[in-house]
Amino acid sequence: MFKEGDYILIVYGDKRFLKRLSKGFSLNVKDAVLKFEDVVGKEEGSKVGDFYLFRPTVEEIILYGFKRKTQIIYPKDAFYIAYTLGLDKSKRVLEFGTGSGALTTVLSLLGGEVWTFEASENFYKLALSNWEAFGLCKEVKHFNMDFMQAELEEEFFDAAFVDVREPWHYLEKLHKVLKKGARCGFLLPTTNQVSTLLKNLQGLFSDVTVLEILHRYYKTNPDRLRPEDRMVAHTGYLIFCRKIT
Amino acid sequence: MFKEGDYILIVYGDKRFLKRLSKGFSLNVKDAVLKFEDVVGKEEGSKVGDFYLFRPTVEEIILYGFKRKTQIIYPKDAFYIAYTLGLDKSKRVLEFGTGSGALTTVLSLLGGEVWTFEASENFYKLALSNWEAFGLCKEVKHFNMDFMQAELEEEFFDAAFVDVREPWHYLEKLHKVLKKGARCGFLLPTTNQVSTLLKNLQGLFSDVTVLEILHRYYKTNPDRLRPEDRMVAHTGYLIFCRKIT
Amino acid sequence: MFKEGDYILIVYGDKRFLKRLSKGFSLNVKDAVLKFEDVVGKEEGSKVGDFYLFRPTVEEIILYGFKRKTQIIYPKDAFYIAYTLGLDKSKRVLEFGTGSGALTTVLSLLGGEVWTFEASENFYKLALSNWEAFGLCKEVKHFNMDFMQAELEEEFFDAAFVDVREPWHYLEKLHKVLKKGARCGFLLPTTNQVSTLLKNLQGLFSDVTVLEILHRYYKTNPDRLRPEDRMVAHTGYLIFCRKIT
Amino acid sequence: MFKEGDYILIVYGDKRFLKRLSKGFSLNVKDAVLKFEDVVGKEEGSKVGDFYLFRPTVEEIILYGFKRKTQIIYPKDAFYIAYTLGLDKSKRVLEFGTGSGALTTVLSLLGGEVWTFEASENFYKLALSNWEAFGLCKEVKHFNMDFMQAELEEEFFDAAFVDVREPWHYLEKLHKVLKKGARCGFLLPTTNQVSTLLKNLQGLFSDVTVLEILHRYYKTNPDRLRPEDRMVAHTGYLIFCRKIT
């Protein structure tokens, strides 16, 4: 039952809205209006006019609820990253930079202990405020600090994910703080960056894979099934590898 | 440190092998040989000749270690399913059919309580033996039973995933056992099945999305970066929706 | 050298414009202006301010110059169709419906004799006016007539392309007017239509292939090479087959 | 009617064979046999046992009939190149290197005059023998010569396509022999080559586009419509531009 302060995913035709239910809340779509009084006390899955009311998943929170100042790591990529790093509740994982905190959120659901570093104060505060708004990442250890400044034990982390523009500058320290054989991932938007990273991994990391993930959505008319006219063609290249000794 | 009985991911060039380290173990690739004595006592990430030794992730266990009698749900799809169903440790999720147990494994890492039903005795035993071999899914509640025969409370599950050939026969019962607004997913290989399912969802489920996930891998030579020559073009269509009331 | 009346492809950054050079011509992009006097008498490939001036190819004429009242057959599909039908200057090819005349234009450049039928007077006139504007398809035999009404010799055409909503109604007549073994193609936007067509081809046509063509464009910054953020995900499914006897 | 010496496309289930009909011809597929006497005198589109008999298109000749010593330019790319270069019977087009002669064949069907240069004697002879076997490219002007050695008039060609490993070495001469505003294309397999080419185009060529073409094939069972399990993921990146002055 929705109550004041809840976040609600509102579906109207093929449009989706993520809104906080506060007094005076009102949503206008075309000629339809949804108001605070229409929603409060309703069950999930209720229909009010042509609006459907649901609780958002973490994917929808990230896509429609998180504030961002730059490109986020999209859920399609984040979900794959979290599992392919081999995370479970017994694992300690390192992330830098935190950015808007999207990947941190996903890692924190699957992993045991998440440490995340963000050099920029702006981004650090953005991530904190995104998590706070939705009650996420409460156990995450977060640092407003360049990873290079962090004092960390050697062979401390089971896995790592790196989302910075020039990750090759961090590889030696990264290698040190990872356990033997640990999985490590990177997200890079351009092929030039991928080439430079691949060159610099040699000798420190092996078992390298590079891939991109494409999602293609379909229109849902059962009598006229066909893909959407347009799709997201690129978010970034994912690179995974393992520490060697 | 690898010891007898461990599963080991062995990487040789671009080939990967998942093997159990038992006495008498021996792996031949081209002219290279790796033996029990070469591996036991070695650290993760060690190099023996041209072989690298690692511990497998759950993705690698499913891809290279699980036995299968039919198409499995691939990790690329399974990882996305688990998160997009909105799972976390507070959620109870339903799955049928269990198949070889690949998706169950992935759901069990993210979700709180997993119930899985499999009508075929053959598949049921296969899933159990896959999990047992790798020490997975210990908390999962598994049933060798057609979902239609199961006696279940109404509004019991927070989410569900259905992997059977004709899911439209199960929708009314599925609707009953799901909580209001709960997320539900399906995997279907053909467009005809997708059309039939979409028709039958109407009135019971809404907020429908249909998508396919494509992974495109790249060769990892930094001076000659380019996609692999061939890729997997299709595993199945994913359909997600929510219970309405 | 550009003169009054010419069609000109104007490139400004990553924007492209197809314009006719008439007195009083003027193009405004952001703060830049291009006028009749700036263009007339210039050579192809000239730069005027930040504008580049070129003559359009047939692809650019179709994409930026043709008027349309419905989805056209895109050049990416049309180019593949023309060749895969096995056309050359010795071949006679049938098309219906003509639509906006985009595919007709492409067929006419490669094939020997093109016959095209369009039942709708609106579309027929649209195609004629598109061709006239750009001096195309002068040799094409065009008919404002439903293909079913046309009186045609048996085994008359070397190849055919069909772009109508329910092509299965036309297959018997199509089979009659095609030469033995002739190639025949179809474009259909939905999977339901593809299924229905495939069913109806049986016994009349064989050697069936179904495919879709995806074009993925890249940003052209050499130091930051990466795909465009979004792409066209679907225009239609192409179906090709051959007449059997 | 098929006669001795003809090339025949033989379709058996989803297998395709391109064979020359010579005395003693015999094709075995599984337990089925097709012999010279079964084919000679038959019409196109005939069925003999489970074999269908057709004449090949140029696409099928290139894919199944051409001999190759390296990667060819695939028909999917070649068809798009020929049209996007803006060719018609009034245009003179330059190609180097000739390779196995696949693109030359496609250009020669659409363009007016084709000049092709191949530095390697091996490839040059291969292309000639491919064309001769199928009676193709009779009007093409072919040269066993490095393009850099050729004495050519300035502003001679309406368009050009370059298929060599390091095309950036040829750009100045290429610029000279092209007419003002002429279209020019390149095919390169790696992202590193694309970056290097893009850098070197600056100042000589503009209106640059980079794309890749993906074909996704479907299984043709109307009741179980779905993509093929695997597809070609990469042949090469296509780069197009225009000469500026």
Side-chain angles (χ1 to χ4, degrees):
Chain A
M1 224 165 65
F2 295 114
K3 58 182 198 304
E4 198 180 332
D6 283 1
Y7 281 98
I8 305 174
L9 184 86
I10 302 163
V11 178
Y12 183 94
D14 57 359
K15 291 183 200 306
R16 289 181 180 84
F17 307 88
L18 184 61
K19 297 286 176 187
R20 188 159 204 187
L21 188 58
S22 51
K23 280 209 175 99
F25 162 83
S26 167
L27 176 67
N28 292 266
V29 189
K30 294 174 189 172
D31 294 339
V33 187
L34 187 74
K35 285 171 185 292
F36 177 80
E37 305 79 45
D38 302 329
V39 179
V40 77
K42 287 288 188 316
E43 303 271 12
E44 291 186 55
S46 299
K47 195 177 180 192
V48 178
D50 289 329
F51 296 95
Y52 284 102
L53 309 176
F54 302 106
R55 288 204 196 280
T57 60
V58 68
E59 183 181 19
E60 292 156 342
I61 288 171
I62 291 171
L63 284 176
Y64 310 123
F66 268 29
K67 292 200 174 62
R68 54 188 82 166
K69 287 180 179 156
T70 180
Q71 177 108 327
I72 59 161
I73 299 187
Y74 275 88
K76 73 174 180 72
D77 297 317
F79 296 173
Y80 185 74
I81 291 165
Y83 273 105
T84 209
L85 287 179
L87 299 191
D88 60 44
K89 287 296 167 195
S90 73
K91 299 285 172 30
R92 183 186 294 128
V93 60
L94 163 70
E95 181 199 35
F96 66 92
T98 314
S100 331
L103 179 62
T104 326
T105 303
V106 170
L107 296 174
S108 76
L109 291 175
L110 190 65
E113 198 177 286
V114 182
W115 295 49
T116 185
F117 293 85
E118 173 57 58
S120 142
E121 198 185 339
N122 258 346
F123 277 118
Y124 179 72
K125 287 184 174 168
L126 177 66
L128 290 192
S129 97
N130 277 333
W131 299 334
E132 209 186 353
F134 296 94
L136 296 164
C137 291
K138 287 172 188 161
E139 319 270 291
V140 165
K141 295 175 200 303
H142 45 79
F143 305 89
N144 183 191
M145 183 189 293
D146 188 319
F147 168 67
M148 295 304 278
Q149 313 306 323
E151 288 183 35
L152 293 162
E153 282 180 52
E154 296 199 7
E155 306 199 358
F156 188 62
F157 293 103
D158 296 287
F161 195 82
V162 181
D163 179 25
V164 298
R165 196 168 300 172
E166 303 195 327
W168 41 90
H169 297 312
Y170 302 80
L171 294 179
E172 283 192 31
K173 176 156 183 181
L174 184 62
H175 187 267
K176 246 180 223 152
V177 303
L178 285 172
K179 293 186 186 170
K180 293 190 174 75
R183 284 282 262 171
C184 184
F186 305 84
L187 180 84
L188 292 168
T190 74
T191 63
N192 315 70
Q193 288 166 299
V194 176
S195 280
T196 305
L197 178 62
L198 290 175
K199 257 173 223 156
N200 284 280
L201 289 176
Q202 290 166 4
L204 296 171
F205 297 88
S206 184
D207 187 27
V208 183
T209 54
V210 177
L211 80 153
E212 44 184 348
I213 300 179
L214 295 161
H215 281 204
R216 195 183 189 203
Y217 286 85
Y218 283 68
K219 302 189 179 190
T220 57
N221 180 337
D223 299 317
R224 298 190 48 73
L225 184 64
R226 47 163 291 175
E228 294 282 352
D229 298 323
R230 295 179 65 78
M231 63 185 273
V232 173
H234 187 65
T235 52
Y237 299 98
L238 290 170
I239 302 95
F240 292 100
C241 57
R242 277 175 162 115
K243 171 175 167 173
I244 54 175
T245 47
Chain B
M1 223 165 65
F2 296 114
K3 58 181 197 305
E4 197 179 333
D6 284 359
Y7 282 97
I8 305 173
L9 184 84
I10 303 162
V11 178
Y12 183 93
D14 57 359
K15 292 183 198 308
R16 289 181 180 84
F17 307 88
L18 184 60
K19 297 287 176 185
R20 187 159 205 186
L21 188 57
S22 51
K23 281 210 173 98
F25 162 85
S26 167
L27 175 68
N28 293 266
V29 189
K30 295 175 188 171
D31 292 339
V33 188
L34 186 74
K35 286 173 185 292
F36 178 80
E37 305 78 44
D38 302 328
V39 179
V40 76
K42 286 289 188 315
E43 303 271 13
E44 291 186 57
S46 299
K47 195 176 180 194
V48 179
D50 289 328
F51 297 94
Y52 285 103
L53 309 177
F54 302 106
R55 289 205 196 278
T57 61
V58 68
E59 183 181 19
E60 293 157 341
I61 288 170
I62 291 172
L63 285 175
Y64 310 123
F66 269 29
K67 292 199 174 63
R68 54 188 82 166
K69 286 178 178 158
T70 180
Q71 178 108 328
I72 59 162
I73 299 186
Y74 275 88
K76 76 176 177 71
D77 297 317
F79 296 173
Y80 185 74
I81 291 165
Y83 274 105
T84 208
L85 287 179
L87 298 191
D88 59 45
K89 286 297 167 195
S90 73
K91 299 285 170 33
R92 185 186 292 129
V93 60
L94 164 69
E95 182 199 34
F96 66 92
T98 314
S100 332
L103 179 62
T104 326
T105 303
V106 171
L107 296 175
S108 76
L109 291 175
L110 190 66
E113 200 176 284
V114 183
W115 295 49
T116 184
F117 293 85
E118 174 57 59
S120 142
E121 198 186 340
N122 258 344
F123 277 117
Y124 179 73
K125 288 184 174 168
L126 177 65
L128 290 192
S129 96
N130 276 334
W131 299 334
E132 210 187 352
F134 295 93
L136 296 164
C137 291
K138 286 171 188 162
E139 318 271 289
V140 164
K141 296 176 197 306
H142 45 78
F143 306 89
N144 184 192
M145 184 189 293
D146 188 318
F147 168 68
M148 295 304 277
Q149 313 306 322
E151 287 183 35
L152 293 162
E153 281 180 52
E154 295 199 6
E155 305 199 359
F156 188 63
F157 292 103
D158 296 287
F161 197 83
V162 181
D163 179 25
V164 299
R165 196 169 301 173
E166 303 194 328
W168 41 89
H169 298 313
Y170 303 80
L171 295 180
E172 284 192 29
K173 176 157 185 181
L174 183 62
H175 187 267
K176 246 180 223 151
V177 303
L178 284 172
K179 292 185 186 169
K180 292 190 176 75
R183 285 282 263 171
C184 183
F186 305 85
L187 180 84
L188 292 168
T190 74
T191 64
N192 315 70
Q193 289 166 297
V194 176
S195 280
T196 304
L197 177 62
L198 289 175
K199 258 173 221 156
N200 285 279
L201 288 177
Q202 290 165 5
L204 296 171
F205 296 88
S206 185
D207 187 28
V208 182
T209 53
V210 178
L211 80 154
E212 44 184 347
I213 299 178
L214 295 161
H215 281 203
R216 194 181 189 204
Y217 286 85
Y218 282 69
K219 301 188 179 189
T220 57
N221 180 337
D223 299 317
R224 297 191 48 73
L225 185 63
R226 46 162 294 175
E228 293 281 352
D229 298 323
R230 295 180 64 79
M231 64 184 273
V232 173
H234 187 67
T235 53
Y237 299 99
L238 290 170
I239 302 95
F240 293 99
C241 57
R242 275 175 164 115
K243 172 176 167 173
I244 54 175
T245 47
Chain C
M1 225 165 64
F2 295 114
K3 57 182 198 304
E4 196 180 334
D6 283 0
Y7 281 97
I8 305 175
L9 184 85
I10 303 162
V11 177
Y12 183 95
D14 59 357
K15 291 183 198 308
R16 288 181 180 83
F17 306 88
L18 184 59
K19 297 287 176 185
R20 187 159 204 190
L21 188 58
S22 51
K23 282 213 173 94
F25 162 85
S26 167
L27 176 68
N28 293 266
V29 189
K30 295 174 188 171
D31 293 338
V33 188
L34 186 73
K35 286 172 185 294
F36 178 80
E37 304 79 45
D38 301 329
V39 180
V40 77
K42 287 286 188 317
E43 303 270 13
E44 292 186 55
S46 299
K47 195 176 180 192
V48 178
D50 288 329
F51 297 95
Y52 285 101
L53 310 176
F54 302 106
R55 288 203 195 281
T57 61
V58 68
E59 183 180 19
E60 293 157 341
I61 287 171
I62 292 171
L63 284 176
Y64 310 122
F66 268 30
K67 293 200 172 64
R68 54 188 83 166
K69 288 180 177 156
T70 180
Q71 177 108 328
I72 58 160
I73 299 186
Y74 274 88
K76 75 176 178 70
D77 297 317
F79 296 172
Y80 186 72
I81 291 165
Y83 274 105
T84 208
L85 288 179
L87 298 191
D88 59 45
K89 286 297 168 194
S90 73
K91 299 286 171 33
R92 183 186 293 130
V93 60
L94 164 70
E95 181 199 34
F96 66 92
T98 314
S100 333
L103 178 62
T104 326
T105 303
V106 171
L107 296 175
S108 76
L109 290 175
L110 191 66
E113 199 177 284
V114 183
W115 294 50
T116 186
F117 293 84
E118 174 57 59
S120 143
E121 197 186 339
N122 258 345
F123 278 117
Y124 179 72
K125 286 183 175 170
L126 177 65
L128 290 192
S129 96
N130 276 333
W131 298 335
E132 209 186 351
F134 296 94
L136 297 165
C137 291
K138 286 171 188 162
E139 319 269 290
V140 165
K141 295 175 199 305
H142 44 78
F143 305 89
N144 182 192
M145 184 190 291
D146 188 319
F147 169 67
M148 294 304 277
Q149 312 306 322
E151 287 183 35
L152 292 162
E153 280 180 53
E154 296 198 4
E155 306 200 356
F156 188 64
F157 293 104
D158 296 287
F161 196 82
V162 181
D163 180 25
V164 298
R165 195 169 300 174
E166 304 194 327
W168 41 90
H169 297 314
Y170 302 80
L171 295 179
E172 284 193 28
K173 176 156 183 181
L174 184 62
H175 187 266
K176 246 180 222 151
V177 302
L178 285 171
K179 292 186 187 171
K180 293 189 174 75
R183 284 283 262 171
C184 184
F186 305 84
L187 180 84
L188 291 168
T190 75
T191 63
N192 314 71
Q193 289 166 296
V194 175
S195 280
T196 305
L197 178 63
L198 289 175
K199 258 174 220 154
N200 284 280
L201 288 177
Q202 290 166 4
L204 295 171
F205 296 88
S206 184
D207 187 27
V208 182
T209 54
V210 177
L211 80 153
E212 45 185 347
I213 299 178
L214 295 161
H215 281 204
R216 194 181 190 205
Y217 286 85
Y218 282 69
K219 302 188 179 190
T220 57
N221 180 337
D223 298 317
R224 297 192 47 74
L225 185 64
R226 47 162 294 177
E228 293 281 352
D229 298 323
R230 295 181 63 78
M231 63 185 272
V232 173
H234 187 65
T235 53
Y237 299 99
L238 290 171
I239 303 96
F240 291 100
C241 58
R242 277 175 162 115
K243 172 176 168 173
I244 54 175
T245 48
Chain D
M1 223 165 66
F2 296 114
K3 57 184 197 305
E4 198 179 333
D6 285 0
Y7 281 98
I8 305 175
L9 183 86
I10 302 163
V11 177
Y12 182 94
D14 58 358
K15 290 182 199 309
R16 288 182 181 84
F17 306 88
L18 183 60
K19 296 288 176 183
R20 187 159 205 188
L21 188 58
S22 52
K23 281 212 173 95
F25 162 84
S26 167
L27 175 68
N28 293 266
V29 189
K30 296 175 186 171
D31 292 339
V33 188
L34 185 74
K35 285 171 187 292
F36 178 80
E37 305 79 44
D38 302 328
V39 179
V40 77
K42 287 289 188 314
E43 304 270 13
E44 290 186 57
S46 299
K47 195 176 179 191
V48 178
D50 289 329
F51 297 95
Y52 285 101
L53 309 177
F54 302 106
R55 288 203 196 280
T57 61
V58 67
E59 183 181 19
E60 293 157 341
I61 287 171
I62 291 171
L63 284 176
Y64 310 124
F66 268 29
K67 292 198 174 64
R68 56 187 81 165
K69 287 179 179 157
T70 181
Q71 178 109 326
I72 58 160
I73 299 186
Y74 275 88
K76 75 174 178 70
D77 297 317
F79 295 174
Y80 185 73
I81 291 164
Y83 273 104
T84 209
L85 288 178
L87 299 193
D88 59 45
K89 285 298 166 193
S90 73
K91 300 284 172 31
R92 184 186 292 129
V93 59
L94 163 70
E95 182 200 34
F96 64 92
T98 314
S100 331
L103 178 62
T104 326
T105 303
V106 170
L107 296 175
S108 75
L109 290 175
L110 190 65
E113 201 176 283
V114 183
W115 294 50
T116 186
F117 293 84
E118 173 58 59
S120 142
E121 196 186 340
N122 258 345
F123 278 118
Y124 179 73
K125 287 184 175 167
L126 177 65
L128 290 192
S129 95
N130 277 333
W131 299 334
E132 207 186 353
F134 296 93
L136 296 164
C137 292
K138 286 171 189 162
E139 318 271 291
V140 164
K141 295 176 199 307
H142 45 77
F143 304 89
N144 184 191
M145 184 189 293
D146 188 318
F147 168 67
M148 294 304 277
Q149 312 307 320
E151 288 182 34
L152 293 162
E153 282 179 52
E154 295 199 6
E155 306 201 358
F156 188 63
F157 292 103
D158 296 286
F161 196 82
V162 180
D163 180 25
V164 298
R165 196 170 299 173
E166 304 194 327
W168 41 89
H169 297 313
Y170 303 81
L171 295 180
E172 284 192 28
K173 176 157 184 181
L174 184 62
H175 187 267
K176 246 180 223 153
V177 302
L178 285 171
K179 292 185 186 170
K180 294 190 173 76
R183 285 283 262 171
C184 183
F186 305 84
L187 180 84
L188 292 168
T190 75
T191 63
N192 315 69
Q193 289 167 298
V194 176
S195 279
T196 305
L197 178 62
L198 289 174
K199 257 173 222 154
N200 285 279
L201 288 177
Q202 290 166 5
L204 296 171
F205 296 88
S206 185
D207 186 27
V208 183
T209 54
V210 177
L211 80 154
E212 45 184 348
I213 299 178
L214 295 162
H215 281 204
R216 195 181 188 205
Y217 286 85
Y218 282 70
K219 301 189 180 190
T220 58
N221 180 338
D223 300 317
R224 297 191 48 73
L225 186 63
R226 48 163 291 177
E228 294 282 352
D229 298 324
R230 295 180 65 78
M231 63 184 274
V232 173
H234 187 65
T235 53
Y237 299 99
L238 289 171
I239 302 96
F240 292 100
C241 57
R242 276 174 163 116
K243 172 176 167 173
I244 54 174
T245 48

